[in-house]
Amino acid sequence: MSPMNKRLHSLFNKARFAVRSRLSFSLGPVRLKAASKEGLFGDPHVRRREQEFIERYDFTRWHKRLGAQDYRLNLYVLDLLEACRPHMASLGIERVRAVDVGSRTFYYAPALFHFYRTLAAVERLHGVEFDAYRRYRTGYTAYDYAQAYLRELGCPAAAYLPMDFLGYREPFNLCTFFLPFVTEDPLLHWGLPLESFLPYRLFEHAYHHLESPGVLIITNKGLEEQAQQHRILDSLQIGYRNLGPFTSPFYSYDLPRYVTLVIKSGFSTD
């Protein structure tokens, strides 16, 4: 996209974002629509892993309550977090104070909560979303959908915050960034103005508020985006571990998600 086109696209996004931020009214509570999971996974090895996850993470209720797509995506997130577990196990986190940045509808809140609960007691789980009043074809907003997942979760420690993460001041020891905007084009495509593209400040802020011990879990879409992610962290002199591409039998994306961990401890950040 040319610089002029980017500027025009950004101005259009800015106007639309301003309108939808003001039209934050709700059509009422969203009701989660359960769907049968019969035959969802044909491979017996995948079914066995699914059953292991259901038992390990106490996921029986979500197997019943979620739609098929939401259920598969939550299993995917559990699988991804499980791949990160060996890097977190030795940190000795005693109580989980977690934040998820760019939560959209926060459909994966069940996976985050149930995984974190296997690490330690969950003191706080916040989803932070800058564009919380984006309205979907159903007429409901991202905020409306997030409230539906949180009501079903039934955890007073969990909340969805419609705000800019740069204004978030709570300390945390676990932080997830699923597909942060590290280049301009995806941000414009999503519908945000260029003035909100501040990846260096975003990760500097995250690292500053990350407790020790603590972990940032970052996923990027494809190798090129991860390379840019690493350039950002390098420029901020933040050490990281590259876990490479992640794939799961529970869900397949067009491009693999590449995983980066930033670990802060009393000994090392790399």
Side-chain angles (χ1 to χ4, degrees):
M1 192 182 298
S2 70
M4 179 58 73
N5 284 339
K6 282 187 177 182
R7 178 171 173 76
L8 291 173
H9 200 157
S10 178
L11 289 172
F12 178 70
N13 286 352
K14 183 176 182 178
R16 294 189 67 183
F17 177 74
V19 169
R20 66 177 176 263
S21 296
R22 288 175 173 82
L23 298 178
S24 58
F25 65 88
S26 174
L27 297 181
V30 171
R31 300 192 181 198
L32 299 182
K33 294 182 180 179
S36 171
K37 313 304 185 298
E38 186 70 27
L40 191 60
F41 303 114
D43 187 326
H45 297 288
V46 180
R47 290 199 300 272
R48 280 196 294 272
R49 186 161 179 79
E50 175 195 15
Q51 190 57 42
E52 289 173 6
F53 275 31
I54 289 172
E55 294 172 4
R56 184 182 309 161
Y57 295 110
D58 190 22
F59 230 62
T60 301
R61 180 162 58 94
W62 296 103
H63 178 271
K64 295 177 181 176
R65 291 292 296 121
L66 291 175
Q69 181 83 335
D70 276 352
Y71 177 68
R72 292 182 66 192
L73 288 167
N74 271 272
L75 289 178
Y76 176 94
V77 171
L78 282 173
D79 209 5
L80 187 151
L81 294 171
E82 187 65 32
C84 299
R85 184 189 290 275
H87 302 272
M88 299 187 282
S90 63
L91 292 178
I93 291 174
E94 297 180 353
R95 296 185 70 82
V96 171
R97 290 176 287 276
V99 63
D100 175 71
V101 184
S103 302
R104 291 162 289 176
T105 63
F106 215 20
Y107 64 84
Y108 47 83
L112 292 179
F113 176 76
H114 286 269
F115 177 84
Y116 289 152
R117 202 167 58 168
T118 67
L119 298 177
V122 178
E123 181 179 303
R124 184 170 67 242
L125 171 59
H126 287 168
V128 175
E129 175 52 56
F130 181 63
D131 196 10
Y133 300 110
R134 168 183 291 270
R135 203 167 291 274
Y136 293 84
R137 292 181 180 178
T138 58
Y140 292 105
T141 65
Y143 183 90
D144 294 329
Y145 282 106
Q147 297 311 307
Y149 295 111
L150 292 179
R151 278 195 302 273
E152 189 66 32
L153 189 62
C155 173
Y160 181 84
L161 308 177
M163 64 180 295
D164 187 340
F165 178 62
L166 291 174
Y168 186 81
R169 294 289 184 265
E170 298 283 354
F172 47 84
N173 51 24
L174 285 164
C175 176
T176 43
F177 284 89
F178 296 134
L179 305 185
F181 294 119
V182 294
T183 58
E184 292 179 344
D185 285 356
L187 174 130
L188 290 171
H189 181 73
W190 180 254
L192 293 175
L194 285 175
E195 63 192 49
S196 64
F197 181 68
L198 302 166
Y200 291 87
R201 285 184 58 194
L202 189 76
F203 286 100
E204 183 179 43
H205 181 80
Y207 190 74
H208 177 74
H209 289 277
L210 180 67
E211 296 177 323
S212 179
V215 184
L216 306 182
I217 301 172
I218 307 164
T219 67
N220 301 108
K221 184 178 180 178
L223 187 58
E224 290 184 11
E225 277 205 4
Q226 191 196 44
Q228 175 61 15
Q229 176 71 65
H230 290 174
R231 283 190 286 271
I232 292 168
L233 296 174
D234 286 338
S235 74
L236 296 170
Q237 298 184 320
I238 296 174
Y240 55 85
R241 297 180 186 178
N242 180 3
L243 302 193
F246 171 79
T247 57
S248 171
F250 296 125
Y251 193 83
S252 179
Y253 287 101
D254 55 342
L255 283 176
R257 278 27 182 169
Y258 281 71
V259 183
T260 299
L261 298 186
V262 172
I263 298 176
K264 185 185 281 191
S265 70
F267 305 101
S268 174
T269 59
D270 55 21

